[in-house]
Amino acid sequence: MTYSQIRKAFLDYMEQHGHKIVPSASLIPDDPTLLFTVAGMVPFKGVFLGTEPAPAPRVADSQKCIRAGGKHNDLEDVGFNGRHHTFFEMLGNWSFGDYFKQGAIEMSWDLLTNVLKIDPARLVVTTHTSDDEATEIWKKLTGKDAIRLGDKSNWWSAGDVGPCGPSTEIFYDYGPNVAGGLPGTPDEDGDRYVEIWNNVFMEFNRDADGVLSPLPHKNVDTGAGLERWAAMLQGVTSNYDTDLFVALRRAVGEVTSVTETPENTVSFKIISDHLRSVGFAIADGVVPSNTERGYVVRRILRRAMRHGQVLGHRGALLSRLYPALVSQMGDAYPELAREQSRVIATIEKEERAFEDMLHNGLKLLEKEVPNVTGGTMAGDVAFKLYDTYGFPLDLTQTILRERGIDVDIAGFDAAMAEQKERSRSSQTFKGGLADHDTETTKLHTATHLLHAALRKVLGNGVEQKGSNITPERLRFDFSFDRRVEPNELAEVERIVNDAIAAAVPIVCNEMSVADAKAAGAIGLFEDKYGDAVMVYSAGDWSREICGGPHVANTSEIGTFKIKKEESSAAGIRRIKAVVGNS
Ligand code: SER
């Protein structure tokens, strides 16, 4: 049976047993306590609590889930075992006050052993220590004793508060040739016994104080990992050896032109896993960013790119792999194809922004690894990676953790604090001016015009992040998250030259910060200015809080020319420009 056929077999069975089949909900939950939909029950939380009506007394679906941040986080395990994923599909059936323990357990057993023909001898079940009822139902049905375990393994909740209850889990035994121990033993994390289905008897609500109260109904919430079912039914011990992942790994080989070997297989697995979480998340509307779920997606995407580089691949990766995901899973999830162009464009943008810094940062990291002593990388080295290459600390940590190396976080923080102190004192140094000769004064006024023109062309997201002027050139750093295209640079240059040609006088006014803001002045480092600030205006071309000095008239600048546009750090671009007749 293929991955898709198994999904269908589950849903068909549940439909035949009176369940209404519903589509998967979005990965973005309607629930402020969760970053992502982490389980099939998430969209039904309100139904359990009695605040929303049930779609039907019995419901089943295959739910898209991401577990890569917060309480449910499998990110670090991905690729290193065959069972965990950042994205997976959870097959689930629910009873909202309809059948309870007896019905749920009977259906699970019937589907597994009679329909899917799994040898009952291969199945092991666990129940909660408190749950005599479920334990007896299993005994009568199978003749076997359930293994009874505590809250850690057999009590389920999506978050710290909300619906919860005891669970009974079903494990598949891959046999003595595979290493691993029974659930509840020290070796339980081995590959031999794999949890394939969890039945939760949702009858309680936990409040913020940890107090349990009964829910309006006794409900059932079951969850079964489709990827694990595929492995079990296809006779392989790793999810990555199922038809779906074999196809995705093949696509990784095609896009990177690298042959998979035992040495590089982890990277193939991580990339194919991350393709699904990044692709599905963005299709559902997550935008990579520096906060919350956007950051989780950005991290996953960067980790995939990192593994692309491990394979020797440069440039676009997940954006080129996305069509393979659509062809594998688009039948069940039409949003993948519907959102294709947007998803690819979003991933491409991230990949472009991250590529250079990743490449350079990895080189430095590799150079530093042999210098690590005592299993901990010095904080200032990690900081240099961050500061110079925009290499996020958590990526450094992830890469090093794979080799058993820690990072000295206190040292990193100290280096960061020192850097802040340094930049504070250099900012007070005449607004970035090295001296006051005529050339630097011209370049300083040109910097204001450039700043204003960039905001006109690229939007008000552009903010000064640094300025440095020598007699030869100006250098201006600003926030912007992609390359500035040549036509945009030409436009910026044209605006500055128009301002010069307009021969506008530069006027300086002293005013309060509030008045300066009201007058539309831009300017940074507000906290370093006292109450009154100087605002330099060049007509309507530019108005900026600044310490001067400036030319008297823009015409003195001569010609303005951009020499270079490049990345300075993550999300920061750098322009170098000259004035005069050069
Ligand atoms: N919510 C439970 C789980 O995620 C069962 O669906 O395991």
Side-chain angles (χ1 to χ4, degrees):
M1 270 173 129
T2 64
Y3 181 85
S4 297
Q5 286 166 344
I6 296 165
R7 185 196 298 112
K8 183 167 182 315
F10 173 85
L11 296 175
D12 286 350
Y13 178 90
M14 290 301 162
E15 192 166 30
Q16 284 152 17
H17 289 76
H19 293 76
K20 179 184 165 96
I21 309 303
V22 300
S24 172
S26 167
L27 282 163
I28 305 177
D30 187 10
D31 180 339
T33 67
L34 292 171
L35 276 179
F36 292 102
T37 299
V38 293
M41 58 76 67
V42 169
F44 301 117
K45 232 166 127 175
V47 181
F48 290 132
L49 293 170
T51 56
E52 277 170 35
R58 298 178 177 206
V59 168
D61 68 11
S62 184
Q63 172 65 47
K64 303 177 274 192
C65 298
I66 287 184
R67 293 188 175 180
K71 177 177 174 196
H72 297 276
N73 186 355
D74 293 330
L75 180 63
E76 310 293 346
D77 290 332
V78 171
F80 298 96
N81 69 40
R83 311 184 296 280
H84 286 109
H85 299 286
T86 52
F87 171 96
F88 66 102
E89 280 189 70
M90 186 180 283
L91 303 169
N93 55 290
W94 286 271
S95 155
F96 301 114
D98 194 77
Y99 57 84
F100 199 46
K101 297 182 184 180
Q102 181 83 31
I105 290 173
E106 276 174 4
M107 275 190 281
S108 296
W109 193 253
D110 181 42
L111 173 55
L112 290 172
T113 61
N114 297 326
V115 180
L116 299 174
K117 307 273 185 242
I118 291 169
D119 177 1
R122 293 227 176 226
L123 299 175
V124 172
V125 298
T126 64
T127 53
H128 191 253
T129 38
S130 68
D131 198 347
D132 292 341
E133 190 187 344
T135 310
E136 273 159 34
I137 294 170
W138 278 119
K139 179 80 179 173
K140 274 205 196 114
L141 187 68
T142 69
K144 288 200 283 196
D145 291 318
I147 299 172
R148 301 189 68 162
L149 299 172
D151 286 358
K152 195 168 160 282
S153 45
N154 283 62
W155 188 275
W156 206 88
S157 65
D160 294 335
V161 297
C164 57
S167 71
T168 174
E169 297 191 328
I170 307 172
F171 287 74
Y172 181 75
D173 177 5
Y174 273 98
N177 293 336
V178 177
L182 282 166
T185 66
D187 296 330
E188 65 180 356
D189 285 338
D191 289 331
R192 175 165 176 184
Y193 296 94
V194 176
E195 183 212 329
I196 53 145
W197 204 345
N198 189 14
N199 279 232
V200 182
F201 305 117
M202 287 278 185
E203 47 175 328
F204 300 105
N205 183 25
R206 191 194 301 274
D207 69 17
D209 299 323
V211 178
L212 296 178
S213 52
L215 289 167
H217 298 287
K218 289 184 189 300
N219 312 288
V220 174
D221 152 32
T222 91
L226 174 52
E227 296 75 7
R228 292 183 182 184
W229 280 34
M232 165 177 78
L233 293 165
Q234 293 176 13
V236 294
T237 49
S238 165
N239 298 356
Y240 292 99
D241 292 328
T242 59
D243 63 315
L244 169 74
F245 276 100
V246 166
L248 295 179
R249 283 159 61 196
R250 194 182 310 122
V252 173
E254 280 159 16
V255 164
T256 59
S257 307
V258 173
T259 308
E260 189 172 345
T261 65
E263 285 73 44
N264 65 22
T265 185
V266 167
S267 294
F268 276 73
K269 291 170 183 166
I270 289 178
I271 294 168
S272 55
D273 171 90
H274 290 7
L275 168 65
R276 297 208 306 166
S277 47
V278 169
F280 272 96
I282 296 176
D284 271 358
V286 179
V287 179
S289 70
N290 277 335
T291 55
E292 303 205 320
R293 63 178 69 92
Y295 188 56
V296 174
V297 169
R298 174 168 279 175
R299 277 184 69 181
I300 300 174
L301 192 150
R302 290 178 169 186
R303 187 157 178 255
M305 281 189 80
R306 210 277 281 181
H307 281 277
Q309 299 228 355
V310 169
L311 296 178
H313 178 76
R314 292 289 306 272
L317 179 63
L318 295 188
S319 54
R320 289 176 60 196
L321 284 166
Y322 186 78
L325 177 65
V326 178
S327 77
Q328 287 303 315
M329 300 188 69
D331 55 343
Y333 295 99
E335 66 271 29
L336 289 179
R338 198 173 59 231
E339 303 297 327
Q340 174 149 350
S341 55
R342 185 180 57 79
V343 175
I344 290 180
T346 305
I347 300 177
E348 273 174 349
K349 191 173 150 203
E350 283 289 303
E351 290 180 331
R352 263 202 308 272
F354 192 56
E355 192 198 321
D356 291 343
M357 78 180 84
L358 178 61
H359 183 71
N360 297 331
L362 278 176
K363 270 206 297 220
L364 178 69
L365 187 64
E366 290 307 330
K367 233 175 58 212
E368 293 293 346
V369 166
N371 301 334
V372 170
T373 50
T376 303
M377 173 174 273
D380 56 346
V381 176
F383 181 73
K384 187 168 155 206
L385 272 163
Y386 166 81
D387 193 40
T388 316
Y389 300 105
F391 221 62
L393 175 63
D394 62 32
L395 185 60
T396 304
Q397 286 177 297
T398 306
I399 294 170
L400 292 178
R401 199 174 301 130
E402 290 168 9
R403 303 170 191 197
I405 299 174
D406 283 334
V407 176
D408 171 15
I409 303 298
F412 179 92
D413 290 343
M416 172 88 96
E418 243 174 66
Q419 156 81 341
K420 280 203 176 129
E421 192 43 49
R422 261 199 312 276
S423 67
R424 237 197 312 280
S425 43
S426 67
Q427 276 156 23
T428 52
F429 181 59
K430 300 172 194 146
L433 283 177
D435 60 41
H436 283 189
D437 71 15
T438 346
E439 283 315 301
T440 53
T441 308
K442 288 184 196 168
L443 285 161
H444 188 198
T445 307
T447 301
H448 279 212
L449 297 176
L450 169 64
H451 189 181
L454 283 168
R455 288 166 68 93
K456 245 186 220 133
V457 175
L458 304 177
N460 288 343
V462 168
E463 273 176 356
Q464 175 170 340
K465 292 293 173 198
S467 166
N468 171 282
I469 293 170
T470 69
E472 287 78 38
R473 55 113 184 95
L474 68 83
R475 193 183 77 197
F476 185 68
D477 288 356
F478 57 99
S479 51
F480 195 59
D481 62 3
R482 64 165 169 83
R483 189 171 89 106
V484 186
E485 298 299 334
N487 62 319
E488 295 170 326
L489 287 177
E491 173 72 355
V492 167
E493 208 174 74
R494 187 190 60 75
I495 294 172
V496 174
N497 282 311
D498 282 355
I500 295 169
V504 201
I506 310 288
V507 178
C508 177
N509 292 302
E510 203 171 317
M511 56 182 96
S512 70
V513 172
D515 285 348
K517 279 189 180 158
I522 52 176
L524 294 167
F525 324 125
E526 280 170 34
D527 55 355
K528 116 175 152 23
Y529 294 97
D531 261 346
V533 293
M534 316 265 262
V535 174
Y536 281 86
S537 308
D540 285 334
W541 297 94
S542 148
R543 184 161 296 132
E544 194 162 333
I545 299 175
C546 176
H550 285 281
V551 296
N553 190 293
T554 56
S555 62
E556 288 170 41
I557 297 173
T559 330
F560 171 82
K561 183 131 196 58
I562 293 176
K563 286 289 192 190
K564 195 166 189 176
E565 191 275 343
E566 63 189 338
S567 162
S568 160
I572 298 181
R573 306 299 300 181
R574 167 168 290 180
I575 282 179
K576 288 185 183 153
V578 296
V579 298
N581 300 319
S582 40

